[in-house]
Amino acid sequence: MSVRFPELACYGLAGHTDQPRDLLVEARLAEELGLGSVFLSERFNLKDAGVLAGAVAAATEHVGIATAATNHNTRHPLVTATMATTAHRLSGGRYALGLGRGFAALFDVMGLPRVTGAQLEDVVGIYRSLWRGEAVLGHEGPAGSYPYLNQDSSFDEHVPVLMTAIGPRSLALAGRLADGVVLHTFLTDEALARSVSTIRSSAEEAGRDPGSVRIWAVLATIEDSLPEELRLRKLVGRLATYLQGYGDVLVAANGWDAAVLDRFRADPLVQGYPGAFDAIGTVEQLTYLRDEVLPAEWLAASATGTAEQCAARVVEQLAIGADSVVLHGATPAELAPVLAAYSSVRAVTRDLPTNPGWIA
């Protein structure tokens, strides 16, 4: 059996959750609806990447599984490599390990080193050596000092590596290094096209086939039938939360006006806000941000409206140059009408593999 839409994915447990067991139902429904993959983010409360990947592997038979993303500095390289090989074999080859830079401020308070591009390049080399059954001896590099690392000399595990990327240096690194790249939510069409070009050009400069890197656009998808509070939380609350955490990076990626970001940060509601807007924002607060603070064109970098309008936006993302699209911020049940509409306008002819880290 093959999935209906291998080019599409959703996030399991999108946003915040206090019931990780809900992922089992979501993953089964995602498979039933024909989604190609389930992506899994990680949070240091109830979203452990390895546990969630194992749950999806056990609950499904066909969907791809992507950790997107974890951070290499939160686990020893041998532990992460083992997590990946375990998920790889448990899922029958459906798993892709996704890595990202994470949040520097969070690592500072956790007492962990900040993630650098050099570290990522180094640690991916370690993982791939271990997956080939090689021992890593006397390693000294940006990712650390490791006298001896080894998994199993019989290994020849083909685990793809995904990288999340938004800034030009991260995009270029991903083009050189990764099997697949996961872009960011709320990218404009121009930013998406520019990101695709950067990744492909970097891959080519590194001597790789530029078409061998699978690029995932990430599209906030909020269909009209959802209750107003939920739509506000998934659209306005989510964008405001990103701007709270790393607004400079997102604004720069889109070429947006930095002065607008400054006004957002200076707003009395935003200053000293006690949490993330997508978690605790009220209808009144989110409506105020939408109507008075955030430009409409910033919120328009998403898929909203009817199911047909959302489906059309998905088609546009693929036409711009993405190989695949993560329908972000919505559960499989919430995506059902969008997928039904998409099936009638789908124009994909390439037969993509189930594993979200491979393109061929």
Side-chain angles (χ1 to χ4, degrees):
M1 176 180 174
S2 60
V3 298
R4 292 177 64 200
F5 309 120
E7 72 278 11
L8 300 184
C10 69
Y11 264 91
L13 302 175
H16 303 267
T17 184
D18 61 1
Q19 295 296 330
R21 187 173 175 82
D22 292 344
L23 178 63
L24 303 176
V25 174
E26 290 184 13
R28 294 185 188 110
L29 181 56
E31 185 165 76
E32 181 182 326
L33 291 171
L35 283 164
S37 297
V38 174
F39 278 56
L40 303 165
S41 59
E42 186 167 57
R43 294 176 188 250
F44 298 120
N45 46 29
L46 292 168
K47 285 188 176 182
D48 178 85
V51 174
L52 296 183
V56 177
T60 62
E61 294 291 336
H62 306 289
V63 296
I65 305 163
T67 296
T70 188
N71 308 115
H72 82 274
N73 61 340
T74 57
R75 296 180 182 85
H76 188 281
L78 189 58
V79 175
T80 300
T82 300
M83 180 183 77
T85 51
T86 304
H88 169 69
R89 289 202 180 183
L90 179 67
S91 65
R94 293 183 280 144
Y95 176 75
L97 173 66
L99 300 171
R101 290 183 180 272
F103 300 98
L106 176 60
F107 296 145
D108 289 346
V109 299
M110 290 176 66
L112 291 174
R114 295 185 178 190
V115 175
T116 67
Q119 290 171 7
L120 284 168
E121 197 154 7
D122 192 32
V123 80
V124 169
I126 292 173
Y127 298 152
R128 286 172 171 163
S129 293
L130 293 171
W131 295 336
R132 289 192 297 266
E134 301 170 4
V136 177
L137 301 171
H139 182 89
E140 296 284 344
S145 301
Y146 304 106
Y148 177 75
L149 303 176
N150 186 42
Q151 285 192 285
D152 189 318
S153 61
S154 70
F155 274 5
D156 185 20
E157 310 301 299
H158 298 277
V159 183
V161 173
L162 292 167
M163 284 186 62
T164 58
I166 181 170
R169 288 186 297 176
S170 293
L171 292 166
L173 174 63
R176 295 195 305 271
L177 182 65
D179 301 294
V181 185
V182 184
L183 301 178
H184 202 278
T185 326
F186 294 107
L187 288 186
T188 65
D189 291 352
E190 294 78 11
L192 172 58
R194 188 165 55 249
S195 298
V196 169
S197 177
T198 299
I199 294 165
R200 304 262 186 243
S201 296
S202 179
E204 188 169 27
E205 290 168 5
R208 307 178 67 193
D209 174 2
S212 68
V213 182
R214 186 166 177 175
I215 300 175
W216 286 87
V218 182
L219 183 68
T221 306
I222 307 101
E223 194 259 340
D224 271 351
S225 64
L226 300 179
E228 180 188 13
E229 180 176 358
L230 199 53
R231 295 201 311 272
L232 284 168
R233 196 172 300 281
K234 290 174 179 290
L235 181 64
V236 181
R238 180 60 54 88
L239 176 57
T241 299
Y242 291 150
L243 296 177
Q244 285 176 293
Y246 45 93
D248 296 291
V249 178
L250 184 57
V251 166
N254 281 322
W256 287 339
D257 186 354
V260 176
L261 177 61
D262 291 339
R263 289 195 294 273
F264 167 82
R265 288 171 168 164
D267 190 273
L269 173 62
V270 177
Q271 284 194 329
Y273 197 73
F277 279 106
D278 63 344
I280 64 172
T282 66
V283 170
E284 292 76 15
Q285 290 169 341
L286 298 175
T287 300
Y288 167 74
L289 290 177
R290 181 194 64 192
D291 295 343
E292 303 295 336
V293 181
L294 296 175
E297 60 267 27
W298 289 20
L299 293 166
S302 59
T304 59
T306 65
E308 290 73 20
Q309 288 171 318
C310 291
R313 285 289 286 142
V314 175
V315 173
E316 289 171 2
Q317 299 278 289
L318 297 169
I320 290 168
D323 300 300
S324 306
V325 182
V326 183
L327 308 178
H328 191 221
T331 67
E334 292 166 349
L335 290 172
V338 177
L339 294 175
Y342 176 75
S343 65
S344 65
V345 295
R346 183 173 184 255
V348 174
T349 57
R350 179 168 49 190
D351 185 21
L352 290 166
T354 295
N355 190 305
W358 298 128
I359 198 166

